[in-house]
């Protein structure tokens, strides 16, 4: 059975609050009895995706869903979108603003890291905005014992 654990809004350029979605998701997943290791892996992906919405989009929302055998997180934002998904997925490729770089972002590693930690990743983008869906499979050993 699939259930929505949480939905959050993410504000554009709100670097002061960046990481909030990742920490709330972390808490929600721990409450589900999921292991530290599993939760850590999911949190890395959520954090990178959250930051991307903050620094690259005009704002968006995120939904965290849980099914018996997976956690799925969907980020939907409003423009400007990604011109080339292929470039965006390349390690070190970044269009981060001066503001984002000054705040420690812009290494061009977020999307490659999300790909590495997740079990499934779909990225769709147009000038209207970007949707990222990431899924993490839950196996028996993903629960705290
Ligand atoms: N939600 C988004 N909206 C618009 N562009 C995006 C979005 N997410 C990623 N991008 C584009 O893809 C590029 C690569 O993203 P990625 O997360 O890999 O690196 P980064 O955010 O630039 O740097 P880092 O994640 O290492 O701090 C970004 O520089 C940006 O051009
Ligand atoms: Mg990034």
């Amino acid at each position: 059975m699939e259930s929505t654990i949480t939905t959050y809004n993410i504000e554009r350029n709100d670097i002061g609050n960046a990481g909030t979605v990742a920490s709330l998701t972390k808490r929600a997943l721990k409450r589900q009895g999921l292991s530290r290791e599993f939760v850590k892996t999911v949190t890395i992906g959520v954090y990178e995706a959250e930051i991307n919405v903050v620094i690259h989009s005009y704002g968006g929302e995120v939904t965290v869903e849980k099914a018996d055998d997976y956690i799925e997180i969907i980020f939907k934002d409003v423009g400007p979108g990604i011109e080339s998904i292929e470039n965006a997925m390349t390690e070190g490729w970044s269009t981060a603003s001066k503001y984002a770089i000054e705040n420690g972002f812009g290494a061009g590693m977020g999307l490659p890291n999300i790909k590495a930690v997740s079990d499934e990743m779909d990225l769709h983008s147009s000038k209207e905005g970007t949707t990222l869906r990431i899924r993490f499979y839950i196996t028996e050993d993903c629960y705290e014992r």
Side-chain angles (χ1 to χ4, degrees):
M1 199 189 75
E2 195 172 301
S3 62
T4 299
I5 304 181
T6 35
T7 55
Y8 311 105
N9 285 313
I10 304 178
E11 303 291 333
R12 175 187 199 180
N13 282 331
D14 190 4
I15 288 183
N17 272 312
T20 304
V21 171
S23 31
L24 291 172
T25 302
K26 186 177 181 178
R27 207 180 301 163
L29 296 184
K30 277 188 176 164
R31 239 184 275 127
Q32 303 276 330
L34 291 157
S35 72
R36 289 168 68 107
E37 200 186 332
F38 178 81
V39 173
K40 194 173 170 186
T41 304
V42 175
T43 306
I44 291 168
V46 171
Y47 180 74
E48 291 295 346
E50 172 186 10
I51 300 289
N52 280 352
V53 175
V54 172
I55 66 175
H56 301 302
S57 88
Y58 304 152
E61 60 173 42
V62 48
T63 305
V64 181
E65 284 178 344
K66 182 177 181 300
D68 287 339
D69 53 352
Y70 62 83
I71 296 290
E72 183 166 276
I73 306 115
I74 301 169
F75 296 82
K76 275 193 178 94
D77 69 47
V78 178
I82 301 173
E83 226 174 82
S84 162
I85 300 277
E86 199 188 326
N87 287 346
M89 290 303 300
T90 304
E91 290 186 11
W93 195 89
S94 177
T95 64
S97 66
K98 190 163 172 275
Y99 172 65
I101 292 167
E102 280 168 1
N103 281 279
F105 306 112
M109 287 306 295
L111 290 173
N113 281 341
I114 293 167
K115 173 104 184 148
V117 297
S118 62
D119 294 311
E120 287 180 29
M121 170 181 180
D122 291 330
L123 180 59
H124 296 282
S125 196
S126 74
K127 287 191 172 96
E128 277 70 55
T130 300
T131 302
L132 172 68
R133 181 187 70 87
I134 50 178
R135 187 178 279 200
F136 298 84
Y137 302 142
I138 302 175
T139 53
E140 264 173 51
D141 61 334
C142 294
Y143 285 95
E144 206 70 76
R145 41 184 85 237

